Every structure is written in structure tokens, then in C-alpha cells.
Amino acid sequence: QVQLVESGGGLVQGGGSLRLSCAASGRTFSRYTMGWLRQAAGTEREFVAANSWGGGSPYYADSVKGRFTISRDNAKNTVYLQMNSLKPEDTAVYYCAAGTKFRPVHPTEFDVWGQGTQVTVSS
């Protein structure tokens, strides 16, 4: 089973950028759909973006379309989330997740989780 470790979170001003990384261990990384989800204080965890193992286009939550980009490097067992034009409402703990379902969206559709990394966007 794959294990996930996120990095790259931090504090940034509104309008700024951050890139999150998620390093995966395990030889079956390329078989997983890799995604990013986030959870703001007092709210439920929500889908942000994902990239299916089988190819096809990455897909995004409407709230981040045009600002965030997910990518993966199967040779490095790493998935990235480039976040541009950040807004205070993007403040949350961001989780990397892996799933075997095709195009998962709901948190329950992901099977493996990282520990999370805090992203804070100041106004």
C-alpha cells in the first residue's frame, strides 16, 4: 500500500502562490488516482483536484479552477499542487490522498491519506 507525505505549506499573502508536493512510497503509485483535498477549521473535508492513474484530464473543484494545477511525476512517485492567485478562503489543511476508484471526488472514495499540510492565506 502506498504511503503519502505532504510538504510545501505555509503562510502567503493573498494573490500569492504556493506549490504543495506529495511524495509517495510504494511501487504501485502509478496505479492510484492521486488527489488533493482540504479542510478548513470547522468545516468538512472537501475535494480540490485529482489526477487519475489511467490518464485523462485532471479535474478540479469549481472554486479552484483556473487557479490551481495538479500534476504528477510517476517516475518520482510525486504529485504536486500548484496554487496561484490564492485567496483567504483557500486557508485550510491540505491533504494528499490516493484512491483506486476512477475519478474519485468524495473524501470517502479515497483510500490512503497523508498527514496534511497547513496553508494560510492572509488578506
Side-chain angles (χ1 to χ4, degrees), residues 25-101:
S25 62
R27 292 181 293 176
T28 59
F29 172 78
S30 62
R31 299 180 185 178
Y32 284 85
T33 290
M34 299 301 299
W36 290 94
L37 296 91
R38 66 187 182 186
Q39 187 167 18
T43 70
E44 296 192 350
R45 199 167 295 188
E46 66 175 7
F47 174 78
V48 175
N51 190 331
S52 291
W53 66 268
S57 300
Y59 51 105
Y60 300 90
D62 288 344
S63 58
V64 306
K65 274 181 187 175
R67 300 188 298 121
F68 291 11
T69 302
I70 187 172
S71 60
R72 64 190 292 167
D73 186 336
N74 286 340
K76 295 183 178 180
N77 278 11
T78 302
V79 63
Y80 306 96
L81 185 68
Q82 177 66 44
M83 305 185 293
N84 299 329
S85 301
L86 282 161
K87 305 175 182 179
E89 51 263 44
D90 294 317
T91 295
V93 176
Y94 283 71
Y95 296 90
C96 177
T100 57
K101 294 180 175 60

